[in-house]
Amino acid sequence: MIGLGTIINVLAIIGGSAIGMAAQKGIPEHLQKSVMKVLGISTMFIGLSGTLAEMLVITEEGISTRGIMLMIVSLVIGTFVGELIRIEDRLEALGDKMKNLKLFRSASATFTEGFVTATLVVSIGAMAIIGSFNDGLGLGPEVLITKSILDFVSTMIFASTLGVGVLCSCVPMGIYQGLLTVLAQFLKPLFDGTNIVSDLSLVGSVLIFAIGINLFASKSVKVGNMLPALLIPVVYGLTMKWIA
């Protein structure tokens, strides 16, 4: 069934968040802060490992690198565009609107922070892109099921400190992955013969690292405004393919 991976992913986020919220009152505040810092370190290592996996190339001659200039250009241009259109401010505004819904009016002050942080964590990265493509092309939901396990654990920890806003991250994530799944059949022919997916993974892993910095240092990087960086490898790859 096409789309099963995203459905399972949404349910995993709901389940993990529910367990985290149930445990929230039983976790002392100082322990919650320590857990957030540990989660930040873990997220940084996940982002770093993904970045190095795409950047380092091992050959018989030794180790070389690829994609560094594209990564830098993507981040600079993407951040410039994101700052102009204030993506993170809009995400926070969306979180505030959701918090004002009757269902969430009793939510804690960390609702918006939880919504924005969790949305970025569960939506950015190679597994979301590759998994959605595989699911949409009928290659199976295994990648998204693996991602669901990771998201279950991460949202459980997030929700234990940031509350119900984390649970609401399943909405934009579900829409995002669902659209990628539907578009997969149209995009695959365009991506064939290019490094677009690999380059997307590289830039996405850098953003994941930045999310880890925010978790550890109490939000100092506007990762939401860096999201347009993910479009640059696509534009570059398609342009190079067209020129060739």
Side-chain angles (χ1 to χ4, degrees), residues 5 17 33 46-47 123 135 144 151 160 169 175-176 202-203 212:
S17 300
K33 292 180 179 179
I46 291 172
S123 299
D135 199 6
L144 288 183
D151 289 348
S160 69
S169 67
I175 295 173
Y176 168 68
L202 173 58
V203 176

Side-chain angles (χ1 to χ4, degrees), residues 164-221:
V164 69
V166 176
L167 186 150
C168 294
S169 67
C170 71
V171 177
M173 188 281 298
I175 295 173
Y176 168 68
Q177 287 187 183
L179 286 174
L180 286 180
T181 300
V182 172
L183 291 173
Q185 298 180 48
F186 303 98
L187 295 177
K188 186 178 184 300
L190 296 176
F191 287 4
D192 285 344
T194 70
N195 292 321
I196 291 178
V197 174
S198 180
D199 292 335
L200 277 171
S201 299
L202 173 58
V203 176
S205 294
V206 175
L207 299 189
I208 290 175
F209 183 85
I211 292 170
I213 294 176
N214 283 345
L215 294 174
F216 183 80
S218 300
K219 195 169 186 178
S220 56
V221 181

Side-chain angles (χ1 to χ4, degrees), residues 10-11 20 29 80 82-83 116 125 143 149 162 167 192 207 233:
V10 169
L11 294 176
E29 184 177 353
F80 180 79
E83 288 286 347
V116 174
V143 174
I149 296 172
L162 299 176
L167 186 150
D192 285 344
L207 299 189

